[in-house]
Amino acid sequence: MARVIFDEERCKGCKLCTTVCPKKIVIMDTDRLNQKGFHPAGVKEMDKCIGCAFCATICPDCVIEVEK
Amino acid sequence: MGEKLLMKGNEVIAEAAIRAGCRHYFGYPITPQTEVAHYMAKRMPKIGGVFLQAESEVAAINMVYGAACTGVRVMTSSSSPGISLKQEGISYIAGAELPAVIVNIMRAGPGLGGILPAQGDYFQAVKGGGHGDFKMLVLAPCSVQELYELTVEAFNLADKYRIGTMILGDGTLGQMMEAVEFKDEENIVHYEKNWATNGTNMERDHNIITSIDTNPEILESWNLRLQDKYKQITENEVRVEEYNCDGADLIVAAYGSVARIVKNVIKMAQKEGIKVGLIRPITLWPFPVNSFEKYAEVTKAFLTVEMSAGQMVEDVRLAVNGKAPVSFYGRTGGIIPTQQEILDKIKSILNR
Amino acid sequence: MATVFKKPHALRDVPLHYCPGCTHGIVHRLISEVIDELGIEGSTIGVSPVGCTYNNYLYFNCDMVQASHGRAPAVATGIRRALPDKTVFTYQGDGDLAAIGTAEIVHAATRGEKITTIFVNNAIYGMTSGQMAPTTLLNQVTTTTPYGRKADLHGFPIHVCEMLATLEGTAFIERVSLHDIKNINNAKKAIKKAFEVQLAGKGFSIVEILSTCPSNWGLNPLEAMKWLQENMLPVYQLGNFKGKDLEV
């Protein structure tokens, strides 16, 4: 089991994380905006997360913490 | 008193710096001050110090900036064109409030100019040759002995006020040899430098040394802090020599090697029944305004003599504030004014 | 569950001011991870340049010094010579290092100055909004090459790693990129090796990191990564140019 924690208020909506997730579960939350007015990235289907940390590796703003 | 030696001015500057605890020197060759670097190149390795010949004066002043950030005593020296190249770095040193000693052994300008002595960098040194509102504490020695004493003092002042301190000499002072008497024990004053970037050791928050803030309120507060520092320096650090001024018919204002010529002129004038005084600024900034104010009321005329087209004369006029006429006599191109020329000028002013 | 990835200690917990998708942020984290892993935060001093990262002294937990444009290698030299037992790195962009600061980087390298330079090459001036940099590609449009960079007018892109590799004072030179996970991990290895080379006192080390500038390239972050791959990789060959097998 693994999970990722997004510091949503720091996300700048650059979407880089969505391009590297092997499970394609990192998506942009288009239903809401963070303080900066960006759609924050996030994971809905956390059960599919394998904790590879690819999303966190490419994130320029250290938004993502990964547990495994 | 200590050892008495016959030494060349440039070498005395280097020896004085070492005696003041300076162990880091970054320089670049340029006549007429290169012997400072030669001396440092020989001595520093022997005393665990650092001598580095940089690729340019621009690099040298930035090495000084870096070393100063760590809290060590650091110096560079150059001559006029080199000091022009260092002006951006000098402005950064002022903005980041770093202590550093910068020596300018002036030569004739402008441009490549010549290698003979001159005083044409007064404005650059005193009014600020770099960008922004900043000052350097500028000391003007007039002898090899003063090169020694003022260089040691420069390091204390730089640390005390966290300010770039300039020794402003000229080619004669750098190249001539004179007796110099060294103290047995130098007066090295140590100042706490907890602002230095020398590694947190994980025992404190990090230190930052910078001169930029895009928030105008913050940058203005830094500027006000600088202006307050300059006010304190102006109140406490003026150094001047007043020589033979009481009851003088005319007072000459001159600094550095020119002031020594004027002392001979004073003797010559005395023989002709003319009483001439000398006000010799030792700190060019802060300028000794009080000395001029004191004598402006009671002296018929002032004459400023410089190896330039006239720069310090403006500060003399400001200080005298119209209470007496202030004339100027100067030579440029590396020509040193003779005693006779200066005496003739005095006599023409006084219609003698 | 244990934490397997989090912000490194050497990176301060403050938001970065860089544009969305700008890879500078990745470089900051990689440097900080290396500093953590080598346990040198307390003995490291970093030098910030002039450019988009002019105030990245706000982001590193080690002592930091801001340097005038192009002069970081000289400032770092002053620091390193004053503190021989500390670790010193410069963080510089392509304008800072390869335009105004060319003499400083060349001479720091040829002196074998024991510093590590992190050189971020995004082929443009970011801070001042998109002017040509020494590493701008031929035909690349910038605000000062509006009709594309032309060799006869604007000269050729500078290959810094290849240039510095001719200097004997250099101990470790590598060019890496950040356009995908594999390359980001390679970049981290190179940065770590560069710092290790410095710690071992072996001379000058530099890592050139191909990076994106979405805002000034006029692309979104994903397109920018693609543009880097398609345009910069052919011109700036990745790999090691010095010290590949250096024992540290």
Side-chain angles (χ1 to χ4, degrees):
Chain A
M1 253 305 277
R3 74 185 178 112
V4 282
I5 304 130
F6 284 74
D7 179 350
E8 292 190 337
E9 291 315 315
R10 287 254 177 101
C11 176
K12 294 175 184 168
C14 77
K15 298 188 183 140
L16 286 174
C17 52
T18 65
T19 65
V20 291
C21 176
K23 296 296 177 184
K24 299 274 178 284
I25 54 171
V26 179
I27 52 153
M28 305 310 287
D29 182 349
T30 49
D31 302 337
R32 76 177 200 80
L33 298 176
N34 68 8
Q35 269 168 358
K36 292 187 175 127
F38 293 114
H39 289 302
V43 166
K44 295 269 188 300
E45 305 163 282
M46 198 59 82
D47 53 317
K48 291 187 180 155
C49 174
I50 59 170
C52 69
F54 278 12
C55 54
T57 300
I58 203 163
C59 174
D61 288 275
C62 248
V63 165
I64 306 164
E65 211 170 281
V66 182
E67 291 173 355
K68 202 170 178 181
Chain B
M1 275 300 268
E3 247 179 321
K4 194 163 188 175
L5 293 170
L6 184 64
M7 275 181 84
K8 175 175 264 201
N10 281 333
E11 291 177 349
V12 165
I13 293 168
E15 179 57 29
I18 288 169
R19 298 171 76 93
C22 170
R23 289 296 177 273
H24 297 83
Y25 172 88
F26 304 95
Y28 190 84
I30 182 166
T31 304
Q33 61 77 52
T34 316
E35 292 86 354
V36 181
H38 298 172
Y39 193 87
M40 287 298 198
K42 279 197 213 111
R43 287 272 277 134
M44 281 297 194
K46 294 273 191 291
I47 55 173
V50 169
F51 161 80
L52 199 151
Q53 180 179 323
E55 57 270 29
S56 72
E57 288 94 343
V58 174
I61 192 71
N62 279 286
M63 291 175 188
V64 164
Y65 178 96
C69 285
T70 72
V72 300
R73 286 191 157 188
V74 56
M75 181 172 96
T76 187
S77 64
S78 188
S79 171
S80 308
I83 298 292
S84 292
L85 284 171
K86 293 182 177 193
Q87 286 303 322
E88 186 200 32
I90 287 171
S91 174
Y92 271 68
I93 283 169
E97 297 192 82
L98 291 170
V101 173
I102 299 126
V103 177
N104 179 7
I105 300 300
M106 290 184 279
R107 64 188 255 176
L112 197 47
I115 56 170
L116 293 176
Q119 296 181 320
D121 307 351
Y122 175 92
F123 279 153
Q124 180 189 59
V126 170
K127 305 297 175 187
H131 57 286
D133 291 295
F134 76 91
K135 290 289 180 188
M136 271 195 296
L137 214 163
V138 182
L139 301 162
C142 76
S143 67
V144 172
Q145 182 69 27
E146 259 195 350
L147 274 176
Y148 156 55
E149 288 162 0
L150 293 179
T151 298
V152 173
E153 196 44 30
F155 281 96
N156 289 337
L157 290 167
D159 279 352
K160 179 177 177 184
Y161 293 101
R162 290 178 62 181
I163 187 168
T165 304
M166 175 170 274
I167 298 293
L168 191 63
D170 64 62
T172 46
L173 288 168
Q175 290 300 326
M176 70 193 199
M177 293 183 78
E178 271 186 319
V180 55
E181 196 156 357
F182 291 112
K183 295 197 186 74
D184 294 332
E185 197 53 35
E186 290 303 338
N187 165 32
I188 297 177
V189 183
H190 289 286
Y191 292 90
E192 185 57 40
K193 294 184 177 178
N194 43 30
W195 45 265
T197 52
N198 47 18
T200 67
N201 260 341
M202 309 302 274
E203 289 155 1
R204 58 167 170 78
D205 195 355
H206 71 173
N207 282 338
I208 293 172
I209 290 179
T210 182
S211 54
I212 184 168
D213 201 299
T214 48
N215 175 335
E217 271 78 27
I218 292 175
L219 189 55
E220 177 166 61
S221 71
W222 292 358
N223 269 279
L224 295 177
R225 192 172 65 220
L226 286 182
Q227 292 307 320
D228 179 53
K229 177 195 303 195
Y230 300 148
K231 189 163 151 296
Q232 279 174 45
I233 294 173
T234 302
E235 283 156 8
N236 303 305
E237 303 299 345
V238 170
R239 288 160 171 76
V240 62
E241 178 187 8
E242 294 168 15
Y243 177 82
N244 202 41
C245 290
D246 292 329
D249 303 315
L250 175 144
I251 290 179
V252 176
Y255 69 94
S257 49
V258 173
R260 293 186 50 177
I261 300 168
V262 170
K263 282 193 174 168
N264 294 339
V265 173
I266 288 171
K267 292 194 190 87
M268 293 165 69
Q270 200 59 51
K271 290 196 188 92
E272 300 188 25
I274 306 168
K275 180 157 191 188
V276 175
L278 165 68
I279 294 177
R280 175 171 74 93
I282 298 169
T283 51
L284 298 182
W285 190 86
F287 193 71
V289 175
N290 299 347
S291 298
F292 290 97
E293 276 171 352
K294 183 166 67 178
Y295 288 106
E297 309 281 347
V298 297
T299 314
K300 280 201 289 300
F302 289 81
L303 167 65
T304 306
V305 183
E306 299 170 71
M307 288 194 287
S308 74
Q311 295 185 25
M312 185 174 75
V313 60
E314 293 190 7
D315 283 330
V316 173
R317 286 194 179 117
L318 282 173
V320 169
N321 204 8
K323 296 202 180 73
V326 177
S327 312
F328 169 73
Y329 183 79
R331 297 301 298 266
T332 58
I335 294 169
I336 301 169
T338 66
Q339 293 155 158
Q340 194 54 51
E341 289 169 46
I342 298 168
L343 183 59
D344 294 345
K345 178 70 180 179
I346 290 169
K347 285 158 81 174
S348 77
I349 294 168
L350 295 174
N351 302 317
R352 292 287 184 82
Chain C
M1 281 196 281
T3 301
V4 291
F5 191 104
K6 70 178 173 59
K7 188 186 73 53
H9 184 270
L11 193 62
R12 289 176 83 91
D13 192 11
V14 290
L16 305 182
H17 70 279
Y18 306 118
C19 306
C22 166
T23 49
H24 269 306
I26 300 173
V27 180
H28 286 50
R29 195 194 69 242
L30 295 181
I31 294 171
S32 303
E33 285 171 357
V34 164
I35 287 176
D36 279 7
E37 286 161 26
L38 296 175
I40 54 173
E41 182 190 310
S43 58
T44 296
I45 297 103
V47 182
S48 309
V50 167
C52 285
T53 61
Y54 77 94
N55 61 349
N56 69 3
Y57 47 73
L58 297 173
Y59 302 138
F60 292 107
N61 254 323
C62 57
D63 278 351
M64 294 294 293
V65 169
Q66 200 282 322
S68 51
H69 198 28
R71 315 311 172 195
V75 171
T77 297
I79 297 168
R80 192 60 159 88
R81 294 299 179 110
L83 302 171
D85 58 347
K86 302 292 185 199
T87 302
V88 183
F89 73 91
T90 72
Y91 190 110
Q92 299 178 256
D94 37 41
D96 194 85
L97 181 137
I100 190 171
T102 314
E104 278 74 12
I105 196 68
V106 164
H107 284 275
T110 205
R111 281 196 305 268
E113 211 61 54
K114 297 180 185 63
I115 60 175
T116 298
T117 288
I118 305 299
F119 165 40
V120 174
N121 174 4
N122 56 15
I124 203 153
Y125 278 51
M127 157 72 106
T128 42
S129 71
Q131 295 75 25
M132 179 186 83
T135 49
T136 290
L137 308 180
L138 290 179
N139 302 318
Q140 184 179 342
V141 171
T142 72
T143 49
T144 46
T145 57
Y147 311 109
R149 178 177 190 170
K150 298 289 178 266
D152 56 359
L153 278 177
H154 314 111
F156 295 86
I158 288 182
H159 294 77
V160 170
C161 286
E162 291 82 343
M163 180 174 75
L164 296 181
T166 65
L167 303 172
E168 288 154 67
T170 56
F172 183 80
I173 302 175
E174 191 146 328
R175 179 182 293 126
V176 297
S177 177
L178 299 174
H179 62 275
D180 59 28
I181 297 297
K182 183 169 77 63
N183 276 281
I184 293 173
N185 291 333
N186 279 344
K188 176 171 173 181
K189 281 197 205 88
I191 293 171
K192 187 164 191 178
K193 180 78 180 276
F195 273 88
E196 284 165 339
V197 164
Q198 177 182 165
L199 288 167
K202 301 254 180 184
F204 176 77
S205 53
I206 181 169
V207 179
E208 177 178 345
I209 305 175
L210 301 187
S211 292
T212 63
C213 181
S215 301
N216 288 300
W217 289 0
L219 301 170
N220 71 44
L222 311 185
E223 291 161 343
M225 286 296 205
K226 206 154 142 307
W227 191 86
L228 186 159
Q229 269 178 270
E230 289 163 0
N231 298 280
M232 290 184 78
L233 291 186
V235 176
Y236 297 110
Q237 180 210 341
L238 301 184
N240 184 286
F241 295 83
K242 192 81 177 286
K244 186 169 183 47
D245 308 318
L246 197 59
E247 282 305 309
V248 283

Coordinates of all heavy atoms in Angstrom, one line a residue, chain C residues 177-209:
Chain C
S177 N 20.0 16.6 -18.0 CA 18.7 17.2 -18.3 C 17.6 16.8 -17.3 O 17.8 16.0 -16.5 CB 18.3 16.8 -19.7 OG 17.1 17.4 -20.0
L178 N 16.5 17.6 -17.4 CA 15.4 17.3 -16.4 C 14.1 17.0 -17.1 O 13.0 17.0 -16.5 CB 15.2 18.6 -15.6 CG 16.4 19.0 -14.7 CD1 16.1 20.4 -14.1 CD2 16.8 18.0 -13.7
H179 N 14.2 16.5 -18.4 CA 13.0 16.4 -19.1 C 12.2 15.1 -18.8 O 11.0 15.0 -19.3 CB 13.2 16.5 -20.6 CG 14.1 15.4 -21.1 ND1 15.5 15.5 -21.1 CD2 13.8 14.2 -21.7 CE1 16.0 14.4 -21.6 NE2 15.0 13.6 -22.0
D180 N 12.7 14.2 -18.1 CA 11.9 13.1 -17.6 C 12.5 12.5 -16.4 O 13.6 12.9 -15.9 CB 11.8 12.0 -18.7 CG 13.2 11.5 -19.1 OD1 14.1 11.5 -18.3 OD2 13.4 11.1 -20.3
I181 N 11.9 11.5 -15.8 CA 12.3 10.9 -14.5 C 13.7 10.4 -14.5 O 14.5 10.7 -13.7 CB 11.3 9.8 -14.0 CG1 9.9 10.4 -13.8 CG2 11.8 9.2 -12.7 CD1 9.8 11.5 -12.8
K182 N 14.0 9.6 -15.6 CA 15.3 9.0 -15.7 C 16.4 10.1 -15.6 O 17.4 10.0 -14.9 CB 15.4 8.2 -16.9 CG 16.7 7.4 -17.1 CD 16.7 6.4 -18.2 CE 16.8 7.1 -19.6 NZ 18.1 7.8 -19.8
N183 N 16.1 11.1 -16.4 CA 17.2 12.2 -16.5 C 17.3 13.0 -15.2 O 18.3 13.4 -14.8 CB 16.8 13.1 -17.7 CG 17.4 12.5 -19.0 OD1 18.6 12.6 -19.3 ND2 16.5 11.8 -19.8
I184 N 16.1 13.1 -14.6 CA 16.2 13.9 -13.3 C 17.0 13.1 -12.3 O 17.9 13.6 -11.6 CB 14.7 14.1 -12.7 CG1 14.0 15.1 -13.6 CG2 14.8 14.6 -11.3 CD1 12.5 15.2 -13.3
N185 N 16.8 11.8 -12.3 CA 17.6 10.9 -11.4 C 19.1 11.0 -11.7 O 20.0 11.0 -10.9 CB 17.1 9.5 -11.4 CG 15.7 9.4 -10.7 OD1 15.4 10.3 -9.8 ND2 14.9 8.5 -11.1
N186 N 19.4 11.0 -13.1 CA 20.8 11.1 -13.5 C 21.4 12.4 -13.0 O 22.5 12.5 -12.6 CB 20.9 11.1 -15.0 CG 20.8 9.6 -15.5 OD1 21.0 8.7 -14.7 ND2 20.5 9.4 -16.8
A187 N 20.5 13.5 -13.2 CA 21.0 14.8 -12.8 C 21.4 14.8 -11.3 O 22.4 15.4 -10.9 CB 19.9 15.9 -13.0
K188 N 20.6 14.1 -10.5 CA 20.9 14.1 -9.1 C 22.2 13.4 -8.8 O 23.1 13.9 -8.1 CB 19.8 13.4 -8.3 CG 20.1 13.3 -6.8 CD 19.0 12.9 -5.9 CE 19.5 12.6 -4.5 NZ 18.5 12.2 -3.6
K189 N 22.4 12.3 -9.5 CA 23.7 11.5 -9.4 C 24.9 12.4 -9.7 O 25.9 12.5 -9.0 CB 23.7 10.3 -10.3 CG 22.9 9.1 -9.8 CD 23.3 7.8 -10.5 CE 22.1 6.8 -10.5 NZ 21.2 7.1 -11.6
A190 N 24.7 13.2 -10.8 CA 25.8 14.1 -11.3 C 26.1 15.2 -10.2 O 27.2 15.4 -9.9 CB 25.5 14.7 -12.6
I191 N 25.0 15.7 -9.7 CA 25.2 16.8 -8.7 C 25.9 16.2 -7.5 O 26.8 16.8 -6.9 CB 23.8 17.4 -8.3 CG1 23.2 18.2 -9.5 CG2 24.0 18.3 -7.1 CD1 21.8 18.6 -9.3
K192 N 25.5 15.0 -7.1 CA 26.1 14.4 -5.9 C 27.6 14.2 -6.1 O 28.4 14.5 -5.3 CB 25.4 13.1 -5.5 CG 25.8 12.5 -4.2 CD 24.9 11.5 -3.7 CE 25.2 11.1 -2.2 NZ 24.3 10.1 -1.7
K193 N 27.9 13.6 -7.3 CA 29.3 13.3 -7.7 C 30.1 14.7 -7.7 O 31.2 14.7 -7.1 CB 29.4 12.7 -9.0 CG 30.8 12.3 -9.5 CD 31.3 11.1 -8.8 CE 32.7 10.7 -9.3 NZ 32.7 9.9 -10.6
A194 N 29.5 15.7 -8.2 CA 30.2 17.0 -8.2 C 30.6 17.5 -6.8 O 31.7 17.9 -6.6 CB 29.3 18.0 -8.9
F195 N 29.6 17.4 -5.9 CA 29.9 17.8 -4.5 C 30.9 16.8 -3.9 O 31.8 17.3 -3.2 CB 28.6 17.8 -3.7 CG 27.8 19.1 -3.8 CD1 26.9 19.3 -4.8 CD2 28.1 20.1 -2.8 CE1 26.2 20.5 -4.8 CE2 27.4 21.3 -2.9 CZ 26.4 21.5 -3.9
E196 N 30.9 15.6 -4.2 CA 31.8 14.6 -3.7 C 33.2 14.9 -4.2 O 34.2 14.8 -3.4 CB 31.4 13.2 -4.0 CG 30.2 12.7 -3.1 CD 29.6 11.4 -3.7 OE1 29.7 11.1 -4.9 OE2 28.9 10.7 -2.9
V197 N 33.3 15.3 -5.4 CA 34.6 15.7 -6.0 C 35.2 16.9 -5.2 O 36.4 16.9 -4.9 CB 34.5 16.0 -7.5 CG1 35.7 16.8 -8.0 CG2 34.2 14.8 -8.3
Q198 N 34.3 17.8 -4.9 CA 34.8 19.0 -4.1 C 35.2 18.5 -2.7 O 36.3 18.9 -2.3 CB 33.7 20.0 -4.0 CG 34.1 21.2 -3.2 CD 33.0 22.3 -3.0 OE1 33.1 23.1 -2.1 NE2 31.9 22.3 -3.7
L199 N 34.4 17.7 -2.1 CA 34.7 17.3 -0.7 C 36.1 16.5 -0.7 O 36.8 16.6 0.2 CB 33.6 16.4 -0.2 CG 32.3 17.1 0.2 CD1 31.1 16.1 0.4 CD2 32.5 18.0 1.4
A200 N 36.3 15.8 -1.8 CA 37.6 15.1 -1.9 C 38.8 16.0 -2.3 O 39.9 15.6 -2.5 CB 37.5 13.9 -2.9
G201 N 38.4 17.3 -2.5 CA 39.5 18.3 -2.8 C 40.1 18.1 -4.2 O 41.3 18.4 -4.4
K202 N 39.3 17.5 -5.1 CA 40.0 17.1 -6.4 C 39.9 18.2 -7.4 O 40.3 18.0 -8.6 CB 39.2 15.9 -7.0 CG 39.2 14.7 -6.0 CD 40.2 13.7 -6.5 CE 40.1 12.5 -5.5 NZ 41.0 11.4 -5.8
G203 N 39.4 19.4 -7.1 CA 39.4 20.5 -8.1 C 38.0 21.0 -8.5 O 37.0 20.7 -7.7
F204 N 37.9 21.6 -9.6 CA 36.6 22.3 -10.0 C 35.6 21.3 -10.5 O 36.0 20.4 -11.3 CB 37.0 23.4 -11.0 CG 35.8 24.1 -11.6 CD1 35.1 25.1 -10.8 CD2 35.2 23.8 -12.8 CE1 34.0 25.8 -11.3 CE2 34.1 24.4 -13.3 CZ 33.5 25.4 -12.5
S205 N 34.4 21.5 -10.1 CA 33.3 20.6 -10.6 C 32.1 21.4 -11.1 O 31.8 22.4 -10.5 CB 32.8 19.6 -9.5 OG 32.5 20.3 -8.4
I206 N 31.5 21.0 -12.2 CA 30.3 21.7 -12.7 C 29.4 20.7 -13.3 O 29.7 19.7 -13.9 CB 30.8 22.7 -13.8 CG1 29.6 23.5 -14.4 CG2 31.6 22.1 -14.9 CD1 29.9 24.7 -15.3
V207 N 28.1 21.0 -13.1 CA 27.0 20.2 -13.7 C 26.1 21.2 -14.5 O 25.6 22.2 -13.9 CB 26.2 19.5 -12.7 CG1 25.0 18.7 -13.4 CG2 27.0 18.6 -11.8
E208 N 26.1 21.0 -15.8 CA 25.2 21.8 -16.7 C 23.9 21.1 -16.8 O 23.8 19.9 -17.1 CB 25.8 22.0 -18.1 CG 24.9 22.8 -19.0 CD 25.6 23.1 -20.4 OE1 26.8 22.9 -20.5 OE2 24.8 23.4 -21.3
I209 N 22.8 21.8 -16.4 CA 21.5 21.2 -16.4 C 20.6 21.8 -17.4 O 20.2 23.0 -17.3 CB 20.9 21.3 -15.0 CG1 21.9 20.8 -13.9 CG2 19.6 20.6 -14.9 CD1 21.4 21.0 -12.5

